[in-house]
Amino acid sequence: MSDDGAYSFLPWLRTGLSTKITGAQETGRATISVMLELTADALDPVNPPPPHPPVEQPVQLYGPGDVTGVDSRAVSRMEPPPFATNFEPNYLAHIEFYDEDYAWRYSPAGPDATTRRLTPWLALIVLTTMEFEDGKEGGGPLPYITVTKPEALQPAKELGAWAHVHVNGSLADQVFVDDTTPGAMGPVLSNLAKVLREAPDSACSRVICPRHLDPSTTYHAFLVPTFETGRRAGLGMTAAEIEAGGIEATTPSWGTASVRLPHYHRWEFTTSKAGDFEYLARLLKPFEAQEPVGLRDMDAHRSPGYGLPELTTPAVPNGVLRLGGALQLTDSDAVIDNHENWDNYYGPQKPPGPPAPPYPNQWQQALAGLINLAEAYQHNAVVTANTETQIPKLAGRGDPVITPPLYGRWHALTPKLLKHPDGTDLPPAEVHNWVHRLNLDPRYRVAAHFGVKVVQARQEELMAAAWEQLGEAPRANAWIRTAQLAREVGNILHGKHIAEQAGPAQVAEADPPASGRALTLTAPAHPKVLAQPAATSGEVLTVGYKVARSRVAAAPVSPAMRRITRPRARLMKTLKTSLDPLLARIDEQQVSPAPPLDAPPGLVTPARLAERMRDGAAEPALGALRARLSVAAEEDGPQPLDVRGTTTAVVTGLAADRTIMKNIIAAVDLPERLAPKDGELTEVMAYPKFDMPMYTELLRMSVDTFVPNLGLLPPNSVTLLEPNRRFIESFFVGLNHEMARELLWREYPTDQRGTPFRQFWDPRTAPAKPDETAAQRRERLYDIPPIHLWGKTSPLGGNHSRPTVGLVLVIRGELLRRYPTAAIYAHKAAWPLLPDKSGPDRSGERTLADLPANEDPTTVVQLPIYEAKVEPDLYLLGFDLDAATARGTGVDGDLGWFFVLKERPGDPRFGLDDDQPNVKPAVEVWNDLTWKTIDPHEHGFIRFADAPTISLDDDMLEKDDLEKVAQRDEDVLVDDWHANVSAADVAYILFQAPVLVAMHAQEMLPDAHTQP
């Protein structure tokens, strides 16, 4: 192979002395001739001795008879892996070794002169449990098996075709391993040596078992000796015993009889059902879905009770509506037929259908009256409410009736249909909104009821999850209710004892001093209340500190002073006056309190220390201390208090509205979205969030509930549908409406306007955008916005989070069940380039567009944004494309989009295709080879003894098939399949490349529909 990143195959490789082995050997070991030449310095330079002729000596090399084990570390890979349960039966099992020459290291002979194959010294056999027995006798160095059915072993003489060297990358533009010209392989071997020096892990040797496996069968793979000498050594014979037996070196280990075979390595695996990725992908055919997929008839002509009239529209068939599901045919919303417009919701359409009354018709008005009874009972007597409905049967009835629910009433703040709360008519835009469409159309009421049934069936687990999400909110609400009581009590006490600052005074003054009553009463709280920032420094101090450093000091507000000056104290009765202005008079120095006691002589105070330092200390190190002591000395003196301002700070700081709110927020740890805002001390209202995909709940009911008549899609088909937004939104409204009722019933703190359910599809496969957080990704992938944000005039179906309706790729077949990791994506179509690269070639088929170098790749490739699965074989993948974009216009290079199914590339695998039913295989490229072509007699092995000669078919190759044309240019460099094909060509021909299948949207979509 010539492309970078491809694989190169060599038929065999030997290194060291083993490269000297030629031809067949008669003994158990390979023998080579070694020439020995001795050189030395002469003792007598004048008369040197005659030169000694070289000595030729035969030397034996280690062979299979000298090997009694294989280190498990020599094995790099097994295909299939041990204990695999889904190996494709049309593939071939193989084993790989780290050393690229390992498979031929102990081979005792040279390559075959005719086939140029070199038989490896070990082989891989694959047997079922019925074809062998485990050995029970011990004593040998290796475990062994007894092959009871020798026909299950591949032909021993052809083992040279089933081992080769694998190299990652290219070794030359073209490698012709059959070229016998001297030096022809020199550049190849030189490049191989370079690869092994620089990246030794880029090459390996591989041994393949050519057996055609049966489906759903357990097999055991054994690595066994190829030659008889190796077999006997593995069973315990010594090298001398083997040599004495006179066994020819190339004698194979098995023939046509039962045989004991020791094994170096062993593993077990199980095959899957018939068909690999390519086989199953070829079975898939594009299909254009048609009615009744996505629709089923719903008979609504009978009266539902309560005296409601019969539903008579649509007239043909009488009262039968079409109930949809989560998916519908593409462009269904673009064309409004008579079934969709059964109630004249969209007005007269073309072509006109049977005459119908205007929307809302009589039946819908009666239904609205019945639904509105729930609200009417809240404001009117039962008899009055029943009489005012448009249902004659309820007129004058004195008993209330249980009414159908008004879905979405709390989210839309709509207590009544068709009417304002005051009884006036709603404007036409609101009558056509989503609330009325959902509640007055039986199809969407059914969809909403599906959501109701889901909540009712899973109410216990949903409520358990809801309470778990609520966290600290119940405790917070208990605190809030207590705080509300404390706030009211605090406001009363505050207004009675603190806010009233003025007290009775016997002497009237023009400018009375500020009252200190509030400041005195609140003295115990002063250390916890902050005063106004200082004018000079901006420093915020507590009121307690400010009072203590002021002229008032702490004595006038001390407990003893408060006890003496209380209104009914003996002193106050004697004085018969109020001491409330006392603090202000002290602060204004109108009253002098007792001076503080002087410090005893000799006691160092900050003022005395600062004085001494000002008198003579001049050390620079004491400069900062001197400054601080000077400030302390200045602050030692009493400062003005500003009684009025300080009292205001205390009164404000102790207000219950402020203190209670701060305490409650600090006491309870609540998420930001639940925390009280703007000082509102109200209970926390919350709602849970359930992010599981809700389409699964519809599937639990039935497949027809999810998508009616989805089973009509034929097996092995691929088609495109689109989401039915009206159905999905109705289902969501029913879910959230019933969940709100359940939360209220369980005393969950909610206002019933939350949207717990917003996820319909499973978005886990959707890729994240650059720099997108997990929360942003989750919000982007929700299917609907919160219901309370839906507009008052928004129609049903117009409230999805994504702007485009989108397409859903529906695959029905075995492919994705067998290959769940297959890559599925949409790829933009483009014209291929002309051979001279001068422009697009519009003469052939469209192809996949090249990925842009420096642009957003999503303009060319789109991955699914959600997925769903319907057992057993239906897979749904959603794409952010609409039908028109997927079709393409054909103008200005707009060729639409392909939908691609691609096998995940992995390690190399080898095999042949299974034959497609009723298809005659044509070998246009080597990848078209099938088992019936290679093994027409069904031997169960790929054999060369009677192998047919197979050449590439030139007549069947279609020139428009660009993929095969490109592959054909490389395949023609490989010889035909024949009896003497080399091991490298066998590897190339049988190599199974990853498969890619692309289907254009036009193959699965009808022509675009337009409204007549």
Side-chain angles (χ1 to χ4, degrees):
M1 294 186 180
S2 57
D3 295 336
D4 293 337
Y7 300 139
S8 297
F9 300 116
L10 300 176
W12 51 269
L13 181 67
R14 274 181 157 166
T15 59
L17 292 177
S18 63
T19 58
K20 303 297 183 181
I21 301 175
T22 58
Q25 304 291 321
E26 296 181 358
T27 63
R29 291 191 179 97
T31 302
I32 63 173
S33 179
V34 176
M35 302 294 294
L36 180 63
E37 182 178 358
L38 298 177
T39 59
D41 294 333
L43 296 176
D44 185 1
V46 179
N47 299 309
H52 191 282
V55 178
E56 183 175 358
Q57 180 66 34
V59 175
Q60 287 188 341
L61 302 181
Y62 282 126
D66 300 299
V67 180
T68 57
V70 170
D71 192 339
S72 61
R73 292 174 294 181
V75 178
S76 60
R77 176 173 167 251
M78 292 164 279
E79 180 64 29
F83 305 109
T85 58
N86 58 348
F87 184 62
E88 296 89 340
N90 57 306
Y91 283 5
L92 301 177
H94 65 257
I95 188 170
E96 297 176 2
F97 304 96
Y98 282 105
D99 294 337
E100 57 281 350
D101 67 328
Y102 193 81
W104 307 273
R105 185 171 293 174
Y106 303 108
S107 296
D112 183 88
T114 303
T115 63
R116 302 281 298 167
R117 299 172 186 159
L118 179 59
T119 303
W121 64 276
L122 35 70
L124 182 67
I125 63 174
V126 176
L127 305 171
T128 66
T129 54
M130 304 299 294
E131 295 169 343
F132 73 95
E133 295 177 354
D134 281 305
K136 298 181 180 179
E137 300 177 5
L142 291 175
Y144 70 92
I145 59 172
T146 300
V147 181
T148 57
K149 293 185 178 181
E151 63 272 16
L153 300 173
Q154 58 263 40
K157 294 183 179 180
E158 298 179 357
L159 294 176
W162 301 110
H164 61 266
V165 179
H166 171 106
V167 182
N168 291 335
S170 60
L171 298 176
D173 291 340
Q174 298 177 11
V175 180
F176 297 102
V177 297
D178 295 331
D179 191 351
T180 58
T181 304
M185 291 293 290
V188 175
L189 296 178
S190 176
N191 291 335
L192 175 61
K194 181 180 179 181
V195 170
L196 298 181
R197 287 194 307 269
E198 297 177 355
D201 291 338
S202 296
C204 68
S205 56
R206 181 181 293 115
V207 178
I208 301 175
C209 176
R211 181 171 186 176
H212 188 188
L213 306 177
D214 293 327
S216 303
T217 305
T218 298
Y219 285 93
H220 297 261
F222 301 93
L223 187 64
V224 299
T226 299
F227 301 103
E228 178 66 13
T229 55
R231 187 186 75 86
R232 297 195 177 194
L235 293 176
M237 295 183 66
T238 63
E241 292 173 338
I242 296 173
E243 187 175 356
I247 301 171
E248 187 176 347
T250 56
T251 302
S253 292
W254 64 82
T256 59
S258 299
V259 63
R260 286 185 178 182
L261 286 176
H263 50 85
Y264 305 115
H265 194 76
R266 174 180 181 174
W267 78 95
E268 179 183 347
F269 63 91
T270 302
T271 55
S272 63
K273 296 180 180 179
D276 61 351
F277 189 97
E278 181 177 356
Y279 176 87
L280 298 175
R282 289 183 183 277
L283 292 178
L284 296 175
K285 303 299 179 184
F287 177 75
E288 181 182 318
Q290 298 177 348
E291 291 187 0
V293 173
L295 295 171
R296 56 175 168 167
D297 290 342
M298 184 180 77
D299 188 354
H301 81 280
R302 296 181 182 177
S303 172
Y306 301 104
L308 290 175
E310 295 181 354
L311 185 63
T312 58
T313 55
V316 181
N318 185 22
V320 175
L321 304 177
R322 289 187 175 179
L323 177 63
L327 297 177
Q328 62 187 7
L329 299 181
T330 56
D331 297 322
S332 293
D333 295 338
V335 179
I336 306 301
D337 58 16
N338 291 328
H339 280 279
E340 177 61 30
N341 198 35
W342 68 272
D343 57 354
N344 232 348
Y345 175 84
Y346 298 96
Q349 300 295 309
K350 298 179 181 180
Y359 171 85
N361 58 33
Q362 181 183 1
W363 186 89
Q364 290 172 321
Q365 292 179 16
L367 177 61
L370 179 62
I371 294 174
N372 292 342
L373 273 177
E375 181 67 15
Y377 289 153
Q378 305 295 322
H379 307 284
N380 300 316
V382 173
V383 175
T384 304
N386 288 339
T387 303
E388 290 179 353
T389 63
Q390 299 186 23
I391 305 175
K393 187 176 181 180
L394 295 180
R397 183 171 176 176
D399 295 327
V401 297
I402 299 176
T403 63
L406 198 168
Y407 292 114
R409 61 171 300 170
W410 302 296
H411 300 91
L413 299 178
T414 303
K416 299 175 67 175
L417 295 174
L418 304 180
K419 303 285 185 180
H420 285 295
D422 59 4
T424 59
D425 292 337
L426 289 173
E430 292 189 30
V431 174
H432 284 73
N433 69 358
W434 63 270
V435 179
H436 289 79
R437 186 62 169 160
L438 189 160
N439 284 280
L440 299 180
D441 192 319
R443 300 171 300 168
Y444 303 122
R445 288 193 67 88
V446 168
H449 184 66
F450 289 154
V452 171
K453 292 178 65 176
V454 170
V455 174
Q456 291 176 347
R458 302 185 62 180
Q459 56 184 329
E460 297 301 331
E461 57 183 302
L462 289 174
M463 283 306 307
W467 285 117
E468 185 175 353
Q469 291 185 33
L470 194 58
E472 292 289 315
R475 191 166 72 92
N477 284 338
W479 276 76
I480 289 173
R481 287 191 291 270
T482 304
Q484 290 172 342
L485 175 62
R487 181 183 60 183
E488 297 305 317
V489 174
N491 285 336
I492 293 174
L493 295 176
H494 187 275
K496 181 178 180 181
H497 298 289
I498 299 177
E500 295 181 2
Q501 301 178 22
Q506 294 181 353
V507 179
E509 298 183 21
D511 185 15
S515 173
R517 179 167 176 264
L519 206 59
T520 303
L521 291 175
T522 60
H526 289 175
K528 298 182 179 180
V529 179
L530 297 179
Q532 296 296 326
T536 56
S537 63
E539 188 177 10
V540 179
L541 305 174
T542 65
V543 172
Y545 180 83
K546 190 173 181 180
V547 170
R549 306 297 295 178
S550 69
R551 296 167 180 163
V552 176
V557 295
S558 64
M561 190 64 177
R562 292 200 307 275
R563 183 172 61 254
I564 294 171
T565 59
R566 69 185 188 274
R568 295 188 179 184
R570 181 180 300 175
L571 176 62
M572 301 308 298
K573 290 180 180 180
T574 302
L575 294 177
K576 298 181 180 181
T577 186
S578 174
L579 297 182
D580 291 344
L582 179 61
L583 298 185
R585 292 181 179 278
I586 295 175
D587 189 44
E588 296 171 3
Q589 297 182 341
Q590 297 177 7
V591 176
S592 298
L597 298 177
D598 293 333
L603 180 64
V604 179
T605 64
R608 292 176 179 175
L609 183 57
E611 183 67 24
R612 293 177 183 177
M613 296 180 69
R614 280 197 299 269
D615 290 343
E619 293 82 354
L622 298 178
L625 177 60
R626 184 184 304 118
R628 288 197 296 270
L629 291 175
S630 298
V631 172
E634 293 175 1
E635 291 184 350
D636 247 7
Q639 304 294 319
L641 179 60
D642 184 14
V643 174
R644 199 180 300 276
T646 304
T647 301
T648 301
V650 171
V651 171
T652 304
L654 294 180
D657 290 335
R658 181 177 181 180
T659 57
I660 297 298
M661 178 61 68
K662 290 179 62 177
N663 289 337
I664 195 65
I665 293 178
V668 182
D669 183 16
L670 283 176
E672 184 178 354
R673 66 184 180 91
L674 299 180
K677 300 292 191 303
D678 301 327
E680 294 182 1
L681 197 58
T682 57
E683 293 186 40
V684 174
M685 295 288 107
Y687 65 92
K689 291 184 178 181
F690 305 109
D691 289 340
M692 65 272 205
M694 298 310 297
Y695 83 91
T696 57
E697 301 302 324
L698 291 175
L699 274 177
R700 288 185 181 182
M701 299 178 189
S702 71
V703 175
D704 277 343
T705 303
F706 174 51
V707 181
N709 294 313
L710 188 61
L712 295 181
L713 296 177
N716 295 313
S717 64
V718 183
T719 190
L720 287 169
L721 301 174
E722 68 181 18
N724 185 344
R725 288 187 166 186
R726 291 188 290 268
F727 179 91
I728 293 174
E729 288 181 12
S730 301
F731 176 66
F732 269 127
V733 172
L735 275 171
N736 291 287
H737 179 92
E738 182 63 19
M739 193 67 209
R741 294 178 70 245
E742 189 66 27
L743 293 173
L744 182 66
W745 172 254
R746 303 291 186 105
E747 298 184 0
Y748 195 92
T750 182
D751 59 359
Q752 296 185 278
R753 300 195 69 206
T755 309
F757 301 96
R758 297 175 61 192
Q759 195 71 66
F760 187 80
W761 304 103
D762 187 350
R764 287 177 293 179
T765 59
K769 293 184 177 181
D771 302 325
E772 186 180 42
T773 64
Q776 291 171 339
R777 178 180 180 274
R778 188 184 307 112
E779 183 64 30
R780 175 174 60 88
L781 296 176
Y782 279 138
D783 291 285
I784 61 169
I787 300 178
H788 71 278
L789 298 180
W790 296 6
K792 279 192 174 184
T793 60
S794 176
L796 188 65
N799 304 290
H800 262 53
S801 298
R802 286 177 283 274
T804 59
V805 175
L807 290 175
V808 176
L809 184 70
V810 183
I811 303 172
R812 183 171 193 180
E814 187 73 11
L815 178 68
L816 293 184
R817 187 163 68 171
R818 292 269 301 279
Y819 296 90
T821 61
I824 303 176
Y825 55 92
H827 199 125
K828 197 170 186 179
W831 293 118
L833 294 177
L834 291 168
D836 60 359
K837 310 296 183 182
S838 60
D841 182 4
R842 294 182 172 86
S843 62
E845 292 184 343
R846 293 164 294 190
T847 186
L848 302 178
D850 295 332
L851 291 176
N854 299 316
E855 298 179 13
D856 184 3
T858 58
T859 59
V860 176
V861 174
Q862 286 198 14
L863 298 178
I865 56 177
Y866 56 80
E867 64 178 18
K869 182 179 180 182
V870 181
E871 295 292 349
D873 60 352
L874 276 161
Y875 299 83
L876 294 77
L877 299 102
F879 292 88
D880 196 12
L881 294 169
D882 55 31
T885 303
R887 288 190 192 96
T889 61
V891 180
D892 297 330
D894 182 13
L895 303 182
W897 289 71
F898 285 101
F899 289 88
V900 179
L901 288 79
K902 182 179 180 181
E903 185 179 8
R904 295 278 184 181
D907 295 317
R909 306 212 292 174
F910 302 85
L912 295 164
D913 294 342
D914 281 327
D915 294 86
Q916 296 282 343
N918 303 322
V919 177
K920 183 179 180 180
V923 184
E924 302 171 3
V925 293
W926 289 123
N927 194 50
D928 293 336
L929 277 178
T930 66
W931 275 100
K932 190 170 288 187
T933 307
I934 293 290
D935 184 22
H937 304 295
E938 298 183 356
H939 294 298
F941 288 96
I942 301 177
R943 298 175 57 173
F944 296 98
D946 55 353
T949 299
I950 303 174
S951 303
L952 296 178
D953 194 337
D954 292 325
D955 298 332
M956 300 295 294
L957 183 63
E958 297 181 4
K959 302 302 181 183
D960 291 340
D961 194 338
L962 302 178
E963 181 184 0
K964 282 195 173 183
V965 170
Q967 185 64 46
R968 177 62 176 269
D969 294 339
E970 187 172 344
D971 285 3
V972 295
L973 302 176
V974 179
D975 288 343
D976 296 340
W977 181 275
H978 52 83
N980 296 326
V981 64
S982 74
D985 288 347
V986 169
Y988 177 87
I989 293 172
L990 299 183
F991 172 73
Q992 295 292 297
V995 178
L996 182 148
V997 177
M999 302 179 188
H1000 199 278
Q1002 290 181 354
E1003 300 179 88
M1004 299 173 279
L1005 292 174
D1007 294 337
H1009 299 294
T1010 57
Q1011 185 70 28

